[in-house]
Amino acid sequence: MRYSIVTLAREALSGNRGWTPAWREPEPKAEYDIVIVGGGGHGLATAYYLAKEHGLTNVAVVEKGHIGSGNVGRNTTIIRSNYLLPANTAFYEHSLKLWEGLEQDFNFNAMVSQRGVLNLCHTDGQRDTYARRGNAMRLNGVDAELLDADGVRKIAPFLDFDSARFPIEGGLLQRRGGTVRHDAVAWGFARGADTRGVDILQNAEVTGIRVENGGAVAVETTRGVIRAKKIGLACAGNTTCVASMAGLRVPIESHVLQAFVSEGVKPLIDQVITFGAGHFYVSQSDKGGLVYGGDIDGYNSYAQRGNLYVIEDVHEAAMALWPGLGRLRMLRHWGGVMDMSADGSPIIGTTPIDGLYLNCGWCYGGFKATPASGWCFAHTLATGVPHALNAAFRLDRFATGDLLDERGAGAQHNLH
Ligand SMILES: Cc1cc2nc3c(=O)[nH]c(=O)nc-3n(C[C@H](O)[C@H](O)[C@H](O)COP(=O)(O)OP(=O)(O)OC[C@H]3O[C@@H](n4cnc5c(N)ncnc54)[C@H](O)[C@@H]3O)c2cc1C
């Protein structure tokens, strides 16, 4: 069923009785060409682009819960491509370009909103760093604007400019950055993949991966054994557990990240704004709630819930930047399990096990990567070799030393 203004009008006039399910609930087949483990944003996008770009439709996405129950439905919805290192810039810019045409492409309203992402700076050194990053972005054809304090004040007059503990000196603005409705991304990719013939198998937890003669040949699931010529792992925070089923140890640590939503208020903040002197970022949803977050909890965990001290930490940073927020009540918060890589950059590529492919290491920035991640992983699965856009994201860089330390924090997972 194609969604359009005509469909909407027809259904409105006929009592909304003609809507069909957005995707099927098929029974698992005994064998597929490709099985993708993980029905999050990346797994579903991979299936979508396998079908759309490579004509491969004998594909299943195997998800242990319902689609969207992982990080794709738990994030704070920010998209941007304001990176410094060439490999990351090219990849995330490709993603932003895919976001820009995504809704027409998969015929689903994902509420892509290019409202701008503004990173604030509070010291001269930080401004120099942002100038360098902005210049790198512009040299790579990515939009970036360096603002002084007055420029920031015009955009966000409600911030504390007059008595702040960390005075705002300016900021780096990417106007093409913004937000996207996260659940709709999962639903849109699921619907688009299903329409092209991909089987989305929900409530099918992978409990084992069969390896024969050095190659992965099947997944054992709670809905039976499924054989596959190729298996792609897109399990985000559960990557280490699932990869270990094939005897593969990956350089990933799982950490909790929390998100927060305030009570709804009238339109207040147009952009996504990040604090530069602490870890806090905020935007406003279409329902009016302020959506915000901060640091990871900082200890290893597979639990999808966070701890109290980070709640305090995030709200302290919020008050330092925007004291008026103290008048609002926090409505809800939740946690997701982050797949933190040792250098903060992702892994998309082959593994030492034949037929087993890996997509992980998204830290807390993988939502913005969803379309490009799926696009590149689909290319890698279809052809057996990485695309130029994900060639640098290979697993063996941690052995060869070709790290992509975007943040300059060294090889320590929890600092990325
Ligand atoms: C609070 C929070 C805020 C964030 N904010 C942002 C942001 O603003 N911008 C941004 O770019 N990124 C953000 N992120 C990060 C982003 O959400 C993730 O990096 C990204 O969603 C990960 O990819 P995914 O969507 O495929 O993951 P997921 O949705 O987690 O998908 C993985 C799936 O694998 C499934 N799975 C796991 N084990 C098995 C198994 N054994 N068998 C079958 N299925 C299995 C899981 O159930 C899950 O559905 C945030 C994350 C969190 C938690």
Side-chain angles (χ1 to χ4, degrees):
M1 180 181 205
R2 198 171 160 75
Y3 296 159
S4 69
I5 187 77
V6 179
T7 324
L8 201 61
R10 195 178 56 228
E11 289 306 319
L13 295 172
S14 62
N16 284 304
R17 281 187 288 271
W19 296 110
T20 54
W23 53 84
R24 299 162 298 132
E25 286 287 354
E27 284 304 311
K29 291 195 261 183
E31 181 164 5
Y32 291 89
D33 290 338
I34 298 175
V35 164
I36 297 158
V37 184
H42 294 230
L44 294 165
T46 305
Y48 175 77
Y49 289 116
L50 274 171
K52 178 173 177 269
E53 303 289 334
H54 304 278
L56 296 171
T57 54
N58 188 21
V59 173
V61 178
V62 182
E63 164 55 45
K64 73 172 173 180
H66 58 268
I67 62 163
S69 54
N71 292 338
V72 69
R74 291 167 181 270
N75 62 70
T76 40
T77 76
I78 300 166
I79 61 165
R80 56 185 171 86
S81 62
N82 52 0
Y83 282 76
L84 176 72
L85 301 180
N88 282 331
T89 311
F91 173 79
Y92 284 101
E93 179 59 12
H94 181 61
S95 210
L96 198 50
K97 288 195 173 126
L98 289 172
W99 283 120
E100 284 169 340
L102 189 66
E103 292 165 302
Q104 288 72 24
D105 191 41
F106 66 18
N107 183 227
F108 202 88
N109 179 10
M111 294 161 70
V112 176
S113 166
Q114 292 184 285
R115 59 184 68 184
V117 172
L118 174 61
N119 303 128
L120 299 176
C121 59
H122 308 264
T123 64
D124 292 349
Q126 203 171 24
R127 192 182 45 220
D128 290 349
T129 308
Y130 282 168
R132 179 178 175 226
R133 178 178 296 259
N135 284 333
M137 289 164 65
R138 291 173 77 134
L139 283 170
N140 283 298
V142 182
D143 68 304
E145 287 169 51
L146 196 62
L147 304 182
D148 59 11
D150 282 343
V152 174
R153 199 190 279 263
K154 276 192 202 123
I155 287 178
F158 45 81
L159 299 179
D160 188 356
F161 288 90
D162 302 320
S163 56
R165 166 76 179 80
F166 303 101
I168 296 167
E169 287 209 0
L172 184 65
L173 174 65
Q174 184 181 26
R175 289 191 194 270
R176 287 169 57 245
T179 59
V180 182
R181 169 81 198 277
H182 51 7
D183 308 297
V185 173
W187 300 333
F189 276 125
R191 183 170 164 274
D194 173 272
T195 309
R196 288 171 168 81
V198 170
D199 282 357
I200 294 165
L201 307 172
Q202 301 186 85
N203 300 311
E205 178 169 359
V206 170
T207 53
I209 297 177
R210 288 190 187 168
V211 178
E212 291 169 8
N213 304 320
V217 294
V219 289
E220 294 163 7
T221 81
T222 47
R223 293 179 68 181
V225 175
I226 305 173
R227 293 188 70 81
K229 297 188 180 77
K230 293 178 182 173
I231 299 170
L233 305 186
C235 308
N238 287 284
T239 297
T240 44
C241 307
V242 180
S244 71
M245 294 174 193
L248 184 67
R249 236 183 128 216
V250 289
I252 296 290
E253 282 188 8
S254 290
H255 286 260
V256 181
L257 179 69
Q258 302 189 51
F260 307 86
V261 176
S262 77
E263 59 189 317
V265 286
K266 286 185 177 171
L268 186 59
I269 164 172
D270 288 338
Q271 288 78 17
V272 178
I273 297 185
T274 73
F275 185 32
H279 209 152
F280 170 72
Y281 58 91
V282 59
S283 65
Q284 188 167 20
S285 79
D286 287 11
K287 280 197 289 185
L290 297 188
V291 180
Y292 56 99
D295 245 328
I296 53 174
D297 279 24
Y299 53 86
N300 302 96
S301 174
Y302 292 106
Q304 286 180 317
R305 59 159 190 255
N307 232 314
L308 289 174
Y309 73 91
V310 167
I311 301 180
E312 190 176 3
D313 187 59
V314 168
H315 289 90
E316 272 176 9
M319 291 298 291
L321 178 68
W322 186 356
L325 280 182
R327 306 279 296 276
L328 285 179
R329 276 169 296 194
M330 185 182 89
L331 205 59
R332 54 202 175 93
H333 76 118
W334 61 85
V337 190
M338 318 308 313
D339 39 330
M340 307 297 293
S341 66
D343 62 0
S345 295
I347 300 166
I348 310 177
T350 55
T351 72
I353 299 169
D354 280 348
L356 187 69
Y357 297 76
L358 194 57
N359 176 318
C360 63
W362 295 105
C363 302
Y364 39 61
F367 177 66
K368 71 178 86 66
T370 305
S373 166
W375 195 92
C376 291
F377 201 34
H379 176 97
T380 309
L381 278 160
T383 62
V385 287
H387 189 272
L389 283 168
N390 64 308
F393 299 153
R394 53 186 208 273
L395 174 62
D396 71 1
R397 73 175 186 272
F398 298 97
T400 60
D402 297 318
L403 298 184
L404 293 165
D405 188 2
E406 175 76 30
R407 193 171 163 181
Q412 202 172 323
H413 301 76
N414 62 310
L415 294 183
H416 293 283

